[in-house]
Amino acid sequence: MGRSDREAVARGRRLCGAAQGVVGDHARAVEAVRAALTPICEGLAERELDAIPVARLKEVTEGRLRLGEVERAGFRTVRQVLDAGPYRLRQIPGVGQQTAAQTVAAARQIADAVRETIAVHVDVDRPDAQTTALVVALHVLVEAGPEARRALDAARALSDRLGPLLDEARPVSSRLRLLVAGKPGRKRALGAAAEIRAVTGQAERDGVPELLAQASVDLLRGPATEIAALVDFELRSAEYYSLIAEISDRRPDPAAAEGFLPGEVAERVRGQRLDDTQRRVSLRGYQAFGARFMLAQRRVIVGDEMGLGKTIQAIAALAHLAAEGQSHFMVVCPAGVLINWTREIESRSRLRVTALHGPERQEAFADWQGRGGVGVTTFDALRGFPPPRGGEPAMLVVDEAHYVKNPKARRSLAVREWAERCERVALLTGTPMENRVAEFRSLVEILRPGLADTIGDHTGVAGSEAFRKAVAPVYLRRNQLDVLAELPALQHTDEWEEPSARDEDAYRKAVLDGNFMAMRRAAYAHPEESAKLNRLREIVAEAAEGGLKVIVFSTFRDVLAVVRDALASDAVFGPLSGNLPPARRQQLVDEFAAVSGHAVLLAQIEAGGVGLNIQAASVVIICEPQVKPTVEHQAVARAHRMGQVRPVQVHRLLATGGVDERMVRLLANKSRLFDAYARRSAVAESTPDAVDVSDVALARRIVEDEQARLSATGGSR
């Protein structure tokens, strides 16, 4: 009792004041964003409502509303009805009070629905005053980063805890007050002072005062210049859009964000705590759910569509485990993305990372064993390391996990051996099944052999809905359209070209030789007269005029060499191929992204379509159709992904009358199978085996059909 109690209360009051200051500073920063966001959303809503005809109001009232007089009076759109209001509508002859009120009510219902679906897009090439003001306001919160969010959570908790205690401890501030408080009052006041001492002491030991002070500095920092804010937006657009969704409360549909998991699984995942103290990045709601899914379910497949941040979700799960005291983690990935993984771990977390690759990988592995952290290695290198002892590493992450779908492959056996000895395993893949449900089942078998046995072929026959329900304990998948409202438009165009005479000659020779691969690239055999190459030049020239970056994908290195010669530009990078060391691949992508304005990156589709982030590009050219539809999906997703700020145009070059036509037709079934079983969709229309076409069988069928057709037609297409 006495001075020490008064000092404890004074310290508590200062800490509470700092906490309340952070809450207020954050609220003002959020309010500045809302003030900039509201007119943009209202303007977008008004334009949408201006495009909706009055007749749509009948749908809201199931046809009961009579709008003939309203339309004859000149009202054409829902917005005009809202602007008029019930008073003006009642002035129309034949429109009574009830009809006017119902008409406006129906219009407001549509307006509410429109406002819920508004998606704000920032055009970085042509920013207007309103969106620029929004980006400037958002910049304060983005710059403050996840540390400010952590400070805000701590500030709210402290304010809620200390506020009532400080009120109760008020008599401690002077001896006179303490005397007149009476015995019960003194007891309560002294008890509150003791509790305040404990709370402030713990906060000081945790470094909370310093956290609050830094957050206040960050939140009160003056706004950036418009140019600086727009440049930062282009670099970190995902963080800006995440804040827009949060502040405007336009989050994705909860069921979609949770992958349409059954209620009992979703509830368990929601209850999983997620510690962010070892993490340097904020998560979107669906990403936090994905990290919790990995932790709660322990052995899982995260099959999110490309571009939704599977890497970040895995890092968040690793950071949580590190915060709980776990020390060793392993990431296995293709060589081409090893550098990307090490960069992401370093920049997005406080975890130590070691690349276990190259000639000194055994020494690096020994160092990782001794010091801990995240080891990042390749499928091939993993085979050379001794399997772990039970329980270590704390989590095994396998990126591009469809690489291990063949249970007999050596890399699959190595991953399986490690997985058997790890308590937690996360298989990451945007393409969990390419040809057969059985391939997906082989991934499940790595995680839970017992569950794999229950989802045999009969589950596939039962249809996609039964399949997803059966694998729910281990499988989470979300699609871009369900959770990324701000993603720029993706425009696919099939560019059908009539082959030239020289194209025809090269194609006929390839068919007669029975050479499927030569058939696929015959359109580039004579560059000077190639119809596809001419169209590719036109697309690149159009992109150059607009200052847009282009990626050109092909399966074949000789096709990419032809393209490089045809473009003959200093702004052409690559080709990025599977033969390049991982460091050189990433360097090419970085150099391509660093160019100001137009540039072209050439890439083999299997090498450039896996793992790398190429958001700098907004035009994608695919030189020939692919045997596996998912290869094209992956390649396009390298550019059209979270963080992209411009619309993405995809041009697939196709030649009429030959192998391209047959591949497009036959592979449509494979794409439909993937949609039914790996994506969320209606019940499958047929069993998986009914539409499966293996790569070898497809090639043989096309060659034989084309040989027969050319023989019957005398060689013409």
Side-chain angles (χ1 to χ4, degrees):
M1 191 189 314
R3 186 173 180 180
S4 64
D5 291 322
R6 287 195 295 274
E7 288 176 351
V9 172
R11 283 166 53 210
R13 190 169 287 113
R14 286 193 297 272
L15 184 59
C16 188
Q20 291 170 345
V22 168
V23 173
D25 295 340
H26 184 268
R28 282 185 287 276
V30 169
E31 189 52 43
V33 173
R34 284 204 179 100
L37 187 61
T38 298
I40 296 174
C41 292
E42 288 300 319
L44 291 170
E46 287 175 359
R47 283 196 287 276
E48 288 275 342
L49 294 169
D50 245 344
I52 300 175
V54 165
R56 293 291 298 276
L57 297 176
K58 293 179 182 178
E59 297 175 16
V60 178
T61 60
E62 298 180 350
R64 295 191 301 272
L65 195 59
R66 295 182 180 179
L67 297 168
E69 300 299 333
V70 173
E71 291 178 289
R72 279 191 285 275
F75 290 90
R76 297 284 178 265
T77 70
V78 171
R79 183 185 172 187
Q80 289 175 332
V81 169
L82 286 169
D83 289 344
Y87 176 77
R88 281 185 56 195
L89 292 182
R90 286 200 304 271
Q91 310 309 308
I92 300 171
V95 176
Q97 183 174 350
Q98 184 177 358
T99 299
Q102 289 176 339
T103 301
V104 172
R108 285 175 181 155
Q109 201 171 335
I110 288 178
D112 289 343
V114 165
R115 289 189 180 95
E116 287 178 5
T117 60
I118 289 296
V120 174
H121 297 281
V122 177
D123 187 338
V124 292
D125 295 318
R126 290 175 293 277
D128 57 30
Q130 285 187 327
T131 54
T132 299
L134 174 61
V135 171
V136 169
L138 286 164
H139 184 263
V140 173
L141 291 168
V142 172
E143 274 291 282
E147 291 294 319
R149 176 59 57 85
R150 196 172 297 118
L152 179 64
D153 292 342
R156 285 173 173 160
L158 277 174
S159 183
D160 291 345
R161 186 80 186 98
L162 288 174
L165 289 173
L166 288 167
D167 287 340
E168 205 162 63
R170 187 173 285 112
V172 175
S173 62
S174 75
R175 290 181 180 178
L176 180 59
R177 282 186 177 179
L178 201 58
L179 285 172
V180 301
K183 189 173 181 180
R186 281 196 297 274
K187 185 176 181 181
R188 286 195 301 271
L190 293 173
E195 202 165 341
I196 289 169
R197 184 184 292 110
V199 171
T200 55
Q202 185 61 52
E204 288 165 0
R205 287 190 292 275
D206 292 341
V208 173
E210 294 80 7
L211 182 67
L212 298 179
Q214 185 60 54
S216 279
V217 170
D218 293 338
L219 291 168
L220 291 173
R221 187 177 288 126
T225 65
E226 292 181 354
I227 292 175
L230 287 167
V231 168
D232 190 60
F233 169 82
E234 190 161 0
L235 292 172
R236 297 191 284 177
S237 63
E239 295 178 47
Y240 283 79
Y241 278 128
S242 180
L243 278 169
I244 290 174
E246 180 183 327
I247 292 171
S248 63
D249 202 27
R250 289 185 175 86
R251 295 179 177 85
D253 173 59
E258 295 176 355
F260 302 94
L261 291 175
E264 66 276 8
V265 177
E267 189 63 34
R268 186 182 313 119
V269 174
R270 287 186 216 114
Q272 169 67 50
R273 190 177 67 89
L274 186 61
D275 192 307
D276 65 354
T277 54
Q278 294 295 312
R279 184 170 16 104
R280 288 196 179 104
V281 63
S282 298
L283 301 180
R284 296 194 175 200
Y286 76 87
Q287 292 174 330
F289 185 87
R292 288 187 173 96
F293 181 79
M294 296 181 204
L295 296 167
Q297 299 300 97
R298 294 179 177 264
R299 302 173 69 84
V300 300
I301 300 168
V302 176
D304 286 347
E305 196 168 28
M306 306 279 170
L308 293 183
K310 293 187 290 295
T311 300
I312 296 301
Q313 294 173 60
I315 291 172
L318 298 179
H320 170 89
L321 293 171
E324 289 194 332
Q326 299 291 344
S327 60
H328 289 70
F329 313 95
M330 180 66 77
V331 173
V332 186
C333 61
V337 297
L338 184 141
I339 291 176
N340 189 60
W341 264 100
T342 59
R343 283 183 177 183
E344 290 290 290
I345 293 167
E346 287 173 345
S347 63
R348 310 288 188 173
S349 76
R350 294 179 173 80
L351 304 180
R352 181 176 182 271
V353 60
T354 305
L356 311 178
H357 184 60
E360 297 181 357
R361 58 182 175 272
Q362 293 297 341
E363 292 84 348
F365 182 78
D367 179 67
W368 169 77
Q369 282 184 308
R371 300 176 63 189
V374 186
V376 183
T377 192
T378 64
F379 291 106
D380 290 336
L382 184 71
R383 300 205 313 268
F385 300 141
R389 297 182 296 275
E392 196 175 278
M395 177 177 269
L396 172 68
V397 176
V398 182
D399 193 19
E400 306 293 348
H402 49 280
Y403 276 44
V404 296
K405 67 189 178 187
N406 179 358
K408 296 180 181 178
R410 287 189 295 174
R411 60 188 174 199
S412 302
L413 294 172
V415 167
R416 184 185 297 267
E417 188 172 18
W418 275 70
E420 287 173 351
R421 304 187 187 200
C422 294
E423 183 181 354
R424 289 181 172 86
V425 181
L427 306 182
L428 313 182
T429 173
T431 56
M433 181 204 62
E434 291 173 343
N435 291 327
R436 296 175 184 271
V437 173
E439 293 174 354
F440 181 79
R441 188 179 62 200
S442 71
L443 296 185
V444 177
E445 194 168 11
I446 292 174
L447 304 170
R448 302 188 190 182
L451 178 61
D453 292 341
T454 69
I455 56 167
D457 293 335
H458 66 279
T459 312
V461 172
S464 56
E465 189 173 349
F467 172 79
R468 289 192 305 273
K469 185 175 181 181
V471 300
V474 298
Y475 179 49
L476 176 68
R477 180 176 176 84
R478 281 77 58 88
N479 297 324
Q480 285 183 346
L481 290 177
D482 288 333
V483 296
L484 286 187
E486 83 281 357
L487 201 66
L490 178 64
Q491 180 181 341
H492 282 272
T493 304
D494 278 351
E495 305 276 357
W496 288 100
E497 304 300 322
E498 193 71 33
S500 68
R502 297 295 298 276
D503 291 340
E504 294 273 12
D505 291 343
Y507 182 76
R508 186 171 188 276
K509 182 179 185 306
V511 172
L512 294 178
D513 290 343
N515 190 332
F516 180 64
M517 293 302 184
M519 290 164 59
R520 293 181 62 201
R521 59 185 191 270
Y524 301 93
H526 302 287
E528 65 282 0
E529 295 183 36
S530 168
K532 279 192 181 183
L533 197 58
N534 286 340
R535 180 56 187 144
L536 185 147
R537 287 195 197 96
E538 291 172 358
I539 296 168
V540 171
E542 290 170 8
E545 289 177 7
L548 303 178
K549 287 187 169 65
V550 182
I551 310 174
V552 178
F553 285 118
S554 175
T555 299
F556 308 104
R557 276 184 290 173
D558 55 353
V559 169
L560 294 174
V562 168
V563 171
R564 185 176 183 89
D565 292 342
L567 297 179
S569 166
D570 293 336
V572 177
F573 294 84
L576 193 157
S577 70
N579 289 345
L580 287 179
R584 178 56 183 151
R585 278 193 234 182
Q586 189 63 54
Q587 183 184 359
L588 274 175
V589 173
D590 292 345
E591 290 172 354
F592 169 70
V595 172
S596 176
H598 173 69
V600 179
L601 176 66
L602 308 178
Q604 270 191 292
I605 198 162
E606 294 275 9
V610 174
L612 296 171
N613 299 337
I614 321 176
Q615 298 102 309
S618 49
V619 177
V620 176
I621 302 173
I622 300 175
C623 290
E624 68 284 318
Q626 301 304 304
V627 175
K628 296 175 181 175
T630 50
V631 171
E632 287 188 19
H633 295 165
Q634 281 184 310
V636 171
R638 294 303 110 211
H640 191 250
R641 60 193 293 115
M642 185 172 61
Q644 173 61 271
V645 294
R646 296 181 177 87
V648 177
Q649 306 167 39
V650 181
H651 302 266
R652 184 167 61 162
L653 303 179
L654 303 166
T656 59
V659 63
D660 289 359
E661 276 195 16
R662 291 181 177 273
M663 285 182 67
V664 168
R665 188 166 57 250
L666 286 171
L667 294 173
N669 281 338
K670 293 179 80 173
S671 185
R672 180 174 60 78
L673 174 66
F674 178 79
D675 285 343
Y677 283 85
R679 299 173 184 262
R680 185 180 74 87
S681 69
V683 174
E685 296 173 7
S686 60
T687 66
D689 288 336
V691 295
D692 175 61
V693 182
S694 72
D695 301 349
V696 175
L698 181 141
R700 186 184 301 117
R701 182 192 303 183
I702 291 177
V703 169
E704 290 172 353
D705 288 351
E706 285 295 277
Q707 286 176 335
R709 184 180 63 81
L710 290 185
S711 175
T713 59
S716 65
R717 288 202 196 191

